[in-house]
Amino acid sequence: MPLAAPPSTFTDLDQLSINTLRFLAVDAVEHAQSGHPGMPMGAAPMAYVLWTRHLQHNPNNPHWPNRDRFVLSAGHGSMLLYGLLHLTGYDLPMEQLKAFRQWGSKTPGHPENFVTAGVETTTGPLGQGFANGVGFAIAERWMAAQFNTPTETLVDHHTYGIVSDGDLMEGVAAEAASLAGHLGLGKLIYLYDDNEISIDGSTDLAFTEDVAARFEAYGWQVLDVADGNDLEAIDAALVAAKADTERPSLIVVHTIIGFGSPNKQGTAASHGSPLGPDEVDLAKQTLGWPEAATFHVPEAVREHLAGLSERGTALEDAWTHQKNAHAEANDTHEDYLTWLGGGLRDGWETAVPTFDTGTKLATRASSGHALNAIAPVLGNLIGGSADLTGSNKTAVKGWSDFQRDTPEGSYFRFGVREHAMAAICNGIALHSGLRPFCGTFLIFSDYLRPALRLSALMELPVTYVFTHDSIGLGEDGPTHQPVEHYMALRAIPNLTFIRPADANETAEAWRAALRRADGPTALALTRQKLPTFDRSVYASAEGLHRGAYVMSDSDGTPDVILMASGSEVELIVDAAQVLREAGVQVRVVSVPSWELFDAQEAAYRAEVLPPAVTRRVAVEAGITQGWERYTGLDGRIIGVDHFGASAPYETLYREFGLTVEAIVEAAQTLMHA
């Protein structure tokens, strides 16, 4: 719906401030000879109105818990955000703007939350920031339901963002927008920089849908600002967006990319390349900016925007009174402080279950038991599944669903939206206070991999529950049987991938995931039942925390080492028994996590895999690539270097050579080589 502009309350100083933002971006991109000047030039007015009139933040404390969150989903326009941070008093001095896109600077090409104070999330891959913002809004609503009282309001903030045409083309944004509308996230407000240009040229080449109608169909309030330079209309739209508490809002702002550049505005030429010195001069002439000056900030602008620091301190001081009153009157305040600080409730580790020998459980089932034991103790562990709750075993007894009318619920029905699910969990983790998990089949890690990669990049403690982890899922066939996925996930830096061998290793895997605060953990869990090993005979499952450990050993120096992960540990245990009866000295090594093992000291790794013992056999129901790091070039690797098939899992293991007999034969061949 279009909005009529109220009488102007903006001044020439506001316009001067906007042009300052524009030319800080232009000069930084020109100086770096790299970057995207067009988006900041066009979107500066909407960003300025938002940051100066609506965004509740404190530049003196970027981590104030009750701040509004701002997401620049169009992360290629990073200089717009850096200019805002610099001018409003964050710790981003001018020398950092001049070092845009350079080694060691706090102004990387796309915003990185772990580099720059005031940056809430790492954006760049389009659509990710959009979905992160949905996670922020979910976290705010859940925390408010837990801690706010009729007299004290600890949690009450909005999530704002600027999104681009490219963001709204990406499927992950569509998934996240659909869920946000379903949940009625009324404190989620996005400004859509509708400049109708992408890198290839006009969006008419590929993007002619009615975006407003799509978002209305999702259940969003949609507002329209016909002129992206109309400050009054932008302000009025933000007021209207905040007034609708039942729906998320999309404000469609019609802008001109590269505004002010006489020869490049409105074209792809201003999108992803410097304007060039001649065009920079012309743009400065057009907008009345000093041509000779670079990185110019008028003193009046600096003084004007410096006032936001004082306003931010006053906002936080007022909130602190609420916080102090809450601390005096509510037993929940200790949880609030612990959770915001990234901590977990005392005593949660004693809730981690142990499983009796002889019990046969799929590791997805033992994961479900562990989750049900741990979650009620932790309190802030929340999550759900991508429409696979029964299969993933992620339901927690006694939990209600997080829905529009039940924001206190801790279980999430993400629907068949794997990519958005993972990106939303990133936003939940970034908000602080919560420990999110999400579940799907391991094969569908392909659908969420970009968001999982960002979990690892941002060092977020998201737990991924991946079930149906191998050809062991059986009859669903090769479309659902992951074979290359272990290696694909192991290739992601800072992701801990764990494939437990039995119920007790699974419980320890959950313990490892929750102990970790600096990155994500992926649990790969079976559909088929596995035996629970007798830990009075075999080494303790606590060995999982070292990534690989000797489960059972030879009487002396081993003749051969058998190693495996997950469900194939059962096979090497049985093969070892056959070989020992034949007089072979065998060491059995469970290898649930390469990342945890590789992080151990060299002495421990050599203790588990002695360099002198070169006869080694590795077994895993996936591609063999990579295992040579542990077997050496002279060892043998038994795996599945092809797609699976539709049949009972016992048949598949036999037909594909994942058998005790094949392992024994490989070991004996090494013995006689």
Side-chain angles (χ1 to χ4, degrees):
M1 55 178 278
L3 296 169
S8 178
T9 57
F10 290 91
T11 68
D12 290 344
L13 182 56
D14 295 305
Q15 190 59 57
L16 188 66
S17 300
I18 290 166
N19 284 340
T20 302
L21 287 169
R22 284 174 166 142
F23 286 109
L24 283 175
V26 167
D27 288 340
V29 171
E30 200 69 28
H31 187 66
Q33 282 298 289
S34 176
H36 299 256
M39 182 272 183
M41 296 174 78
M46 72 174 85
Y48 175 81
V49 173
L50 172 62
W51 275 61
T52 59
R53 297 218 170 180
H54 297 274
L55 193 71
Q56 306 288 294
H57 61 120
N58 184 7
N60 299 303
N61 180 11
H63 302 292
W64 171 36
N66 203 44
R67 70 194 181 278
D68 290 338
R69 271 57 170 183
F70 173 75
V71 177
L72 184 67
S73 193
H76 55 276
S78 57
M79 264 310 304
L80 176 60
L81 178 53
Y82 299 147
L84 288 162
L85 293 171
H86 171 72
L87 292 174
T88 58
Y90 286 81
D91 182 19
L92 197 66
M94 182 61 78
E95 56 263 30
Q96 292 295 333
L97 272 58
K98 294 179 179 179
F100 179 53
R101 291 185 165 228
Q102 304 307 303
W103 175 263
S105 78
K106 294 182 180 180
T107 49
H110 294 83
E112 298 174 19
N113 65 299
F114 49 89
V115 170
T116 313
V119 173
E120 298 285 1
T121 182
T122 298
T123 56
L126 290 172
Q128 291 293 327
F130 186 110
N132 293 164
V134 176
F136 282 128
I138 286 171
E140 189 275 343
R141 179 170 284 187
W142 190 91
M143 293 283 282
Q146 304 302 315
F147 295 111
N148 288 353
T149 73
T151 55
E152 298 95 22
T153 303
L154 271 183
V155 184
D156 181 16
H157 52 264
H158 286 78
T159 299
Y160 297 98
I162 294 179
V163 305
S164 65
D165 290 302
D167 286 296
L168 300 189
M169 292 184 208
E170 289 285 2
V172 64
E175 293 179 23
S178 174
L179 185 59
H182 165 75
L183 293 173
L185 299 176
K187 289 185 176 178
L188 179 65
I189 300 171
Y190 284 155
L191 293 153
Y192 167 26
D193 177 27
D194 186 11
N195 62 37
E196 300 182 356
I197 293 293
S198 63
I199 289 176
D200 274 0
S202 169
T203 54
D204 284 345
L205 293 169
F207 190 56
T208 53
E209 68 185 44
D210 187 336
V211 171
R214 173 158 66 101
F215 273 75
E216 286 173 349
Y218 287 148
W220 287 56
Q221 174 184 213
V222 178
L223 305 165
D224 191 87
V225 175
D227 179 359
N229 290 303
D230 188 338
L231 307 185
E232 291 80 9
I234 294 167
D235 187 37
L238 285 163
V239 170
K242 289 192 291 186
D244 189 335
T245 60
E246 300 300 318
R247 296 178 295 173
S249 293
L250 183 75
I251 303 172
V252 182
V253 185
H254 300 275
T255 62
I256 299 173
I257 193 170
F259 179 82
S261 170
N263 297 305
K264 295 188 176 183
Q265 71 175 19
T267 73
S270 67
H271 190 299
S273 302
L275 297 179
D278 292 342
E279 190 68 14
V280 169
D281 288 345
L282 289 173
K284 290 180 177 180
Q285 290 174 21
T286 301
L287 295 178
W289 202 252
E291 292 177 46
T294 58
F295 296 97
H296 175 56
V297 179
E299 191 58 34
V301 170
R302 195 169 292 285
E303 291 177 2
H304 168 56
L305 293 177
L308 291 178
S309 292
E310 296 177 8
R311 188 182 78 178
T313 298
L315 288 168
E316 183 171 355
D317 286 345
W319 172 82
T320 300
H321 288 298
Q322 290 282 313
K323 175 186 166 189
N324 292 340
H326 189 277
E328 292 179 5
N330 296 279
D331 293 338
T332 60
H333 197 76
E334 183 177 349
D335 277 342
Y336 177 77
L337 295 177
T338 298
W339 295 351
L340 277 184
L344 302 173
R345 281 179 181 167
D346 292 340
W348 72 269
E349 294 211 39
T350 62
V352 178
T354 56
F355 295 87
D356 294 335
T357 301
T359 305
K360 291 205 75 171
L361 283 173
T363 53
R364 65 168 176 162
S366 49
S367 169
H369 290 308
L371 176 60
N372 271 266
I374 298 166
V377 179
L378 285 173
N380 67 333
L381 181 66
I382 69 172
S385 166
D387 199 49
L388 290 168
T389 295
S391 295
N392 298 153
K393 306 300 182 187
T394 46
V396 176
K397 186 177 181 180
W399 273 11
S400 61
D401 288 350
F402 180 95
Q403 295 286 359
R404 179 189 297 262
D405 298 323
T406 54
E408 72 282 357
S410 295
Y411 195 75
F412 289 84
R413 307 288 178 172
F414 288 107
V416 188
R417 302 184 183 98
E418 293 90 351
H419 197 177
M421 173 179 70
I424 287 167
C425 283
N426 284 345
I428 292 171
L430 284 162
H431 179 277
S432 76
L434 300 171
R435 291 295 297 265
F437 69 89
C438 58
T440 188
F441 288 176
L442 180 58
I443 193 80
F444 301 132
S445 63
D446 280 345
Y447 281 7
L448 59 76
R449 182 184 173 91
L452 190 157
R453 181 178 184 272
L454 286 169
S455 301
L457 178 62
M458 291 189 278
E459 301 184 349
L460 300 178
V462 178
T463 301
Y464 291 86
V465 180
F466 292 135
T467 69
H468 296 60
D469 77 330
S470 73
I471 59 169
L473 67 87
E475 292 85 348
D476 272 340
T479 62
H480 281 54
Q481 293 166 1
V483 290
E484 75 275 28
H485 295 69
Y486 312 151
M487 294 306 174
L489 292 172
R490 285 166 177 154
I492 298 176
N494 198 41
L495 170 66
T496 298
F497 179 82
I498 305 178
R499 190 166 181 251
D502 74 346
N504 286 309
E505 275 198 13
T506 303
E508 294 301 330
W510 266 105
R511 194 193 305 270
L514 292 169
R515 282 177 178 173
R516 190 171 188 215
D518 61 352
T521 301
L523 310 181
L525 307 168
T526 67
R527 177 179 183 265
Q528 74 271 32
K529 292 182 179 181
L530 301 177
T532 302
F533 295 112
D534 183 349
R535 296 295 173 167
S536 67
V537 175
Y538 299 100
S540 169
E542 291 179 1
L544 174 137
H545 297 279
R546 305 195 80 170
Y549 64 102
V550 178
M551 277 190 67
S552 67
D553 211 356
S554 55
D555 293 331
T557 300
D559 297 317
V560 65
I561 297 174
L562 305 182
M563 66 186 86
S565 76
S567 47
E568 288 69 68
V569 171
E570 177 186 8
L571 296 178
I572 64 171
V573 165
D574 292 345
Q577 182 62 32
V578 174
L579 289 166
R580 285 167 181 156
E581 290 173 359
V584 180
Q585 297 291 321
V586 182
R587 170 173 289 184
V588 173
V589 176
S590 176
V591 190
S593 175
W594 291 16
E595 296 78 24
L596 293 176
F597 185 54
D598 290 348
Q600 302 303 309
E601 63 277 10
Y604 176 78
R605 298 198 306 272
E607 181 182 328
V608 173
L609 300 175
V613 182
T614 59
R615 300 187 188 99
R616 302 177 182 183
V617 179
V619 187
E620 189 171 65
I623 62 172
T624 57
Q625 174 188 343
W627 274 99
E628 62 274 1
R629 72 196 297 165
Y630 300 129
T631 63
L633 296 179
D634 295 329
R636 296 296 177 91
I637 306 167
I638 298 173
V640 183
D641 286 314
H642 49 76
F643 292 117
S646 179
Y649 81 89
E650 298 93 340
T651 301
L652 295 175
Y653 270 72
R654 182 180 67 252
E655 294 296 327
F656 293 156
L658 291 164
T659 64
V660 170
E661 293 76 16
I663 297 166
V664 169
E665 181 182 355
Q668 289 175 333
T669 299
L670 288 175
M671 291 288 294
H672 296 99

